[in-house]
Amino acid sequence: MPIVPDVKNWTWVLERACPECGFDTAATTYEQVPALARASADRLRAALERPDARRRPDESTWSPLEYAAHVRDVCWIFAYRAAVIARTAAVDPRVPAFDARGLTPEETADGLPAFSDWDQDATAIAARYDAQETGAVSGELALAAEAAARAFEAVAVADRGAQARRGDGSVFTVDSLAKYFVHDLVHHVHDVRG
């Protein structure tokens, strides 16, 4: 059985604790996000050192390597999105199958920047997550998590209410985007039992 694409809208984690991983955005402050991102990356990097890092636990679940590669790309994209929403210089993360071009505030009716959609499963296939080298992914994950942590640290308190819209219409503030992002990382640490 192949990996089933995840098409759920995970924005509900901004309203209640995740029953799978236990992460609670309401109990998490913005200031905790950078440290949680770094710690999650460290735990995933440790999982890459296991002898079974390339092995899927079953046919429909990613291996620790695939999760780590995914989280690396999540970090690059959210570092980019943090800059977009904070209206600072945003550099295309060059993630396979990700089109960074969204809409600027001048191009939208409500004046909010709009993020481009990201098909994470297309990225996993295009980037061949399953064929990547654990050492390379480990180093890249450390760099990407640091970039995302610094991107959120760089946003001044006064600017954390800035908003952007996702392709499906969900509106994020810098604060809610940071918590949504870090849930993804914490959740995938839980997925690999890291």
Side-chain angles (χ1 to χ4, degrees):
M1 172 193 288
I3 300 291
V4 177
D6 183 359
V7 295
K8 291 182 280 209
N9 181 342
W10 285 88
T11 55
W12 58 264
V13 301
L14 297 171
E15 299 166 2
R16 61 187 182 279
C18 179
E20 292 177 37
C21 71
F23 186 77
D24 185 356
T25 58
T28 304
T29 65
Y30 184 91
E31 290 74 19
Q32 291 173 298
V33 168
L36 285 168
R38 291 177 179 113
S40 295
D42 287 346
R43 290 179 67 187
L44 284 166
R45 292 177 70 218
L48 290 175
E49 295 176 12
R50 299 191 313 222
D52 67 342
R54 294 177 131 338
R55 191 175 319 123
R56 289 180 172 177
D58 56 65
E59 291 180 9
S60 63
T61 304
W62 276 349
S63 67
L65 170 61
E66 290 166 296
Y67 276 115
H70 168 69
V71 168
R72 173 202 58 208
D73 292 342
V74 167
C75 288
W76 286 129
I77 289 171
F78 276 80
Y80 171 78
R81 287 181 171 178
V84 168
I85 194 171
R87 291 154 179 83
T88 59
V91 178
D92 184 343
R94 305 260 185 241
V95 170
F98 173 69
D99 179 5
R101 174 79 176 112
L103 297 174
T104 66
E106 297 77 28
E107 297 173 314
T108 62
D110 59 9
L112 297 180
F115 299 134
S116 57
D117 289 329
W118 178 33
D119 183 338
Q120 300 170 26
D121 297 297
T123 296
I125 292 165
R128 296 286 320 272
Y129 283 173
D130 61 325
Q132 293 188 18
E133 293 301 320
T134 56
V137 170
S138 180
E140 293 162 359
L141 174 56
L143 292 172
E146 186 61 27
R150 288 184 182 200
F152 285 110
E153 285 172 334
V155 180
V157 174
D159 296 331
R160 292 182 190 163
Q163 296 180 325
R165 184 179 315 284
R166 196 169 61 180
D168 67 358
S170 298
V171 175
F172 291 90
T173 63
V174 176
D175 183 80
S176 65
L177 184 72
K179 292 175 183 180
Y180 179 80
F181 154 72
V182 83
H183 165 262
D184 202 353
L185 277 58
V186 169
H187 195 97
H188 292 318
V189 167
H190 168 78
D191 287 333
V192 302
R193 313 294 189 266

